[in-house]
Amino acid sequence: MRTAVFKSYENGYYNFWFENGEELAFEDVHPRVLKQFDLKNDESLIDKDFKITFIEEDDGDDVIYIVQSLKPL
């Protein structure tokens, strides 16, 4: 698990900034997470700190990042 700040949902991507300054745009979020956190519409989640777990999937041409779990800090 890493610590990240949720920054936005734009153009189909969930954008998080990590403690090391890295920014990642996630293409998908596990449905269980979306049931708990409405990242698309709830603006109160912007700039919130989370413990995040994610996976990388290689689809041949690109790497897709998928959020597996979020825990608010």
Side-chain angles (χ1 to χ4, degrees):
M1 267 194 189
R2 294 176 60 189
T3 301
V5 177
F6 177 62
K7 295 310 275 184
S8 66
Y9 174 76
E10 293 180 20
N11 302 319
Y13 291 93
Y14 303 88
N15 300 296
F16 285 84
W17 289 1
F18 289 84
E19 68 279 354
N20 64 357
E22 178 183 18
E23 182 178 355
L24 271 180
F26 293 89
E27 202 166 291
D28 202 6
V29 176
H30 194 284
R32 176 186 66 246
V33 174
L34 290 177
K35 201 174 198 182
Q36 192 174 9
F37 302 105
D38 185 3
L39 297 173
K40 290 182 182 180
N41 302 305
D42 187 350
E43 292 187 8
S44 73
L45 297 173
I46 294 173
D47 292 327
K48 291 271 188 196
D49 292 323
F50 291 93
K51 285 286 189 186
I52 185 171
T53 304
F54 63 92
I55 59 171
E56 300 176 24
E57 285 191 357
D58 189 345
D59 74 353
D61 296 327
D62 298 310
V63 174
I64 297 170
Y65 296 98
I66 303 168
V67 175
Q68 292 296 301
S69 70
L70 282 180
K71 294 186 181 175
L73 293 177

